[in-house]
Amino acid sequence: MYYCPNSSAYIPLYYRPANPVASYKSLDEALKLIEQAIKGEREDELFYDYLIAEAPSQEDKEIIVSIRDDEIKHNRMFRTIYEAFTGKSVQSPTEVQFQKPSSYTEGVKKALLGELKAVENYRNIRAGLPNRYYRDMVFEILTDELKHASKYNLILNLDLSRKVYS
C-alpha cells in the first residue's frame, strides 16, 4: 500500500502515481464532495422521473433518459472511487423529500443549472485525486455534465419553439 501524503488514505501500489505532485485540493476534500454527490442520488432519481413523465415530446423524453442513464453511470464511478480510497461504501438516504418544480420548463432550467454546479464540484474532486486513473474517471464525468448542459439548452430551445410556433 502507498500512503497518500495529502490525506490519511492508503492507496494500492498499482495506483500509486509515478510522480506524486502536490495538488491545490486534498483527497479528503474530494472524498467529502464525492460522498455528497452519492447521497443526492435518490433525489436526482425522483427529479428525472418527474422530468421524463412531464416531457411534452418523445424527443425530450429520450434526451432526458440518456442524461439519467449517464448519471447512474456517474454514481457507480463515484462509488468505485470512494470505496477505493476509504474501503467503505456510502449509504444513500432512503427517506428523501422531493420538491416538484412549478413546471416542466422550470424543472429543465433547474436541471441545467444543476449540471453547471456539478461541473464546479467535480473539478474540485478531480483536483484532489492523487492519480491519473481516478482523475480520468472524473474527467469523463465532467465532460458528460457539460454535454448534459448542452442537451438541456436544446430542450429549452425546443420548448420555446413549440410555444412560439403553436
Side-chain angles (χ1 to χ4, degrees):
M1 297 295 266
Y2 161 75
Y3 180 74
C4 179
N6 290 343
S7 80
S8 57
Y10 285 89
I11 304 166
L13 281 176
Y14 48 88
Y15 291 128
R16 181 176 58 92
N19 295 319
V21 293
S23 174
Y24 66 95
K25 298 291 180 182
S26 73
L27 179 59
D28 288 336
E29 289 174 275
L31 292 173
K32 285 176 187 161
L33 289 170
I34 290 171
E35 187 175 6
Q36 289 171 5
I38 292 169
K39 286 186 175 181
E41 167 188 15
R42 179 64 181 140
E43 185 178 351
D44 293 346
E45 181 183 334
L46 294 171
F47 183 68
Y48 286 113
D49 289 347
Y50 164 81
L51 287 179
I52 292 165
E54 295 296 315
S57 72
Q58 187 60 33
E59 183 178 17
D60 286 19
K61 287 182 193 296
E62 289 171 6
I63 291 169
I64 297 166
V65 165
S66 75
I67 292 170
R68 181 206 55 203
D69 292 349
D70 280 349
E71 296 296 348
I72 291 168
K73 175 187 74 170
H74 299 165
N75 193 275
R76 280 194 311 265
M77 293 168 80
F78 276 140
R79 285 179 181 278
T80 298
I81 294 167
Y82 189 86
E83 289 175 16
F85 287 104
T86 67
K88 301 174 188 171
S89 61
V90 177
Q91 299 301 314
S92 297
T94 53
E95 298 297 319
V96 174
Q97 298 295 323
F98 169 67
Q99 188 167 358
K100 190 170 136 179
S102 60
S103 68
Y104 171 73
T105 302
E106 287 304 312
V108 172
K109 287 179 190 175
K110 178 183 175 186
L112 171 59
L113 294 174
E115 296 294 333
L116 297 174
K117 178 67 176 160
V119 168
E120 293 174 13
N121 287 334
Y122 299 168
R123 282 191 317 211
N124 290 328
I125 290 171
R126 187 179 183 282
L129 296 175
N131 67 55
R132 185 175 182 171
Y133 178 80
Y134 293 113
R135 285 182 177 190
D136 285 350
M137 287 176 75
V138 177
F139 184 75
E140 178 179 336
I141 295 169
L142 272 165
T143 55
D144 281 351
E145 297 300 317
L146 293 170
K147 178 181 68 173
H148 298 166
S150 293
K151 287 182 175 184
Y152 281 126
N153 271 319
L154 171 63
I155 290 172
L156 289 172
N157 281 304
L158 291 171
D159 191 46
L160 180 61
S161 295
R162 284 190 286 267
K163 289 177 182 172
V164 169
Y165 297 111
S166 59

